[in-house]
Amino acid sequence: VRTDITDSVREQQGFLNIMAYTFDLVGIINVYTGRMTMHTRQTVLENLPPYVADDYYSAAERFVGQYDPEDRDGSSSRFCLEHILQTLTQKPGGYDFVLPYLEENQIRYKQINILWGDGDHKMICIVRQDVTETMTAERRSKETLEQALALAEEANRAKSDFLSSMSHDIRTPMNAIMGMTTLARAHLDEREKVENCLRK
């Protein structure tokens, strides 16, 4: 039995080590007791014990304090246990949202994934990941595409204007050429008249 427990702990630690390179933190909340166990990247990589809070609500207040100072109420409601449970009932596969986060006097963007931590729905898992670079890259890519689209539209407009202008400018001389050609063809047996039309 002890070997099985040791193997299980080792597997769990290996899983957490892999997650630590992708996520900032993983919080596991017991729905019935309100107890929260939180693994951060530091605690996992340095093999430190996780943070444990017996009262999720107190921990959540401190937790929320670092999110969007202008939307404290909105952030608080997102981390409210009742709200989480209600949303998970509607979206049993889990859900996510992104919030601005103040870190070292700099705004970062954190994606929060919330999902059931077990099949019996006794545990909730909150996973946080920094998506600042991803969002910045997406924003740059979107701006580049918007600029390319604006340039393409401008080029298309210029082409349309050119063709419209060219069509108008060329209409009169083309009519003259077609008229002289028609006259020349009508008098093929009169050499002088044909030559006159061709010269014109």
Side-chain angles (χ1 to χ4, degrees), residues 89-148:
T89 302
Q90 296 164 0
K91 301 175 180 178
Y95 65 99
D96 62 76
F97 52 90
V98 175
L99 288 175
Y101 181 84
L102 188 62
E103 188 175 282
E104 297 174 5
N105 295 324
Q106 187 181 23
I107 293 289
R108 307 283 299 171
Y109 290 90
K110 305 290 183 175
Q111 179 173 312
I112 314 294
N113 295 289
I114 299 181
L115 57 152
W116 291 114
D118 63 346
D120 298 329
H121 296 180
K122 292 177 182 171
M123 302 285 190
I124 291 171
C125 190
I126 298 178
V127 181
R128 188 180 79 187
Q129 177 185 14
D130 192 303
V131 291
T132 309
E133 277 73 27
T134 305
M135 286 181 69
T136 303
E138 284 175 1
R139 195 177 299 121
R140 280 193 197 121
S141 178
K142 185 180 174 189
E143 285 169 2
T144 303
L145 285 171
E146 284 172 352
Q147 287 171 358

Side-chain angles (χ1 to χ4, degrees), residues 42-195:
Q42 183 184 6
T43 62
V44 172
L45 295 178
E46 295 179 16
N47 207 18
L48 301 169
Y51 297 104
V52 178
D54 289 323
D55 179 16
Y56 169 73
Y57 287 102
S58 300
E61 275 183 35
R62 290 193 304 274
F63 190 63
V64 169
Q66 292 171 299
Y67 290 93
D68 191 2
E70 294 175 15
D71 185 31
R72 233 1 105 59
D73 293 339
S75 300
S76 295
S77 67
R78 288 175 188 245
F79 290 104
C80 172
L81 196 52
E82 285 77 15
H83 173 77
I84 290 172
L85 288 168
Q86 185 180 359
T87 310
L88 281 174
T89 302
Q90 296 164 0
K91 301 175 180 178
Y95 65 99
D96 62 76
F97 52 90
V98 175
L99 288 175
Y101 181 84
L102 188 62
E103 188 175 282
E104 297 174 5
N105 295 324
Q106 187 181 23
I107 293 289
R108 307 283 299 171
Y109 290 90
K110 305 290 183 175
Q111 179 173 312
I112 314 294
N113 295 289
I114 299 181
L115 57 152
W116 291 114
D118 63 346
D120 298 329
H121 296 180
K122 292 177 182 171
M123 302 285 190
I124 291 171
C125 190
I126 298 178
V127 181
R128 188 180 79 187
Q129 177 185 14
D130 192 303
V131 291
T132 309
E133 277 73 27
T134 305
M135 286 181 69
T136 303
E138 284 175 1
R139 195 177 299 121
R140 280 193 197 121
S141 178
K142 185 180 174 189
E143 285 169 2
T144 303
L145 285 171
E146 284 172 352
Q147 287 171 358
L149 179 63
L151 286 170
E153 286 173 348
E154 182 60 36
N156 199 34
R157 239 187 329 271
K159 184 175 111 180
S160 296
D161 291 348
F162 171 77
L163 289 174
S164 173
S165 169
M166 183 63 103
S167 170
H168 181 268
D169 291 349
I170 211 167
R171 194 174 295 132
T172 303
M174 281 300 287
N175 284 338
I177 292 167
M178 289 168 72
M180 287 298 158
T181 305
T182 304
L183 278 173
R185 288 176 81 185
H187 300 91
L188 287 175
D189 52 346
E190 298 176 46
R191 185 177 173 85
E192 276 185 47
K193 194 142 187 141
V194 170
E195 282 180 1

Side-chain angles (χ1 to χ4, degrees), residues 7-23 25-28 39-41 44-45 115-117 125-127:
D7 287 347
S8 175
V9 168
R10 215 176 277 129
E11 282 176 16
Q12 209 174 37
Q13 188 62 39
F15 173 71
L16 287 170
N17 281 342
I18 292 166
M19 287 187 68
Y21 287 102
T22 311
F23 302 105
L25 63 83
V26 176
I28 300 162
H39 300 272
T40 65
R41 180 172 288 142
V44 172
L45 295 178
L115 57 152
W116 291 114
C125 190
I126 298 178
V127 181

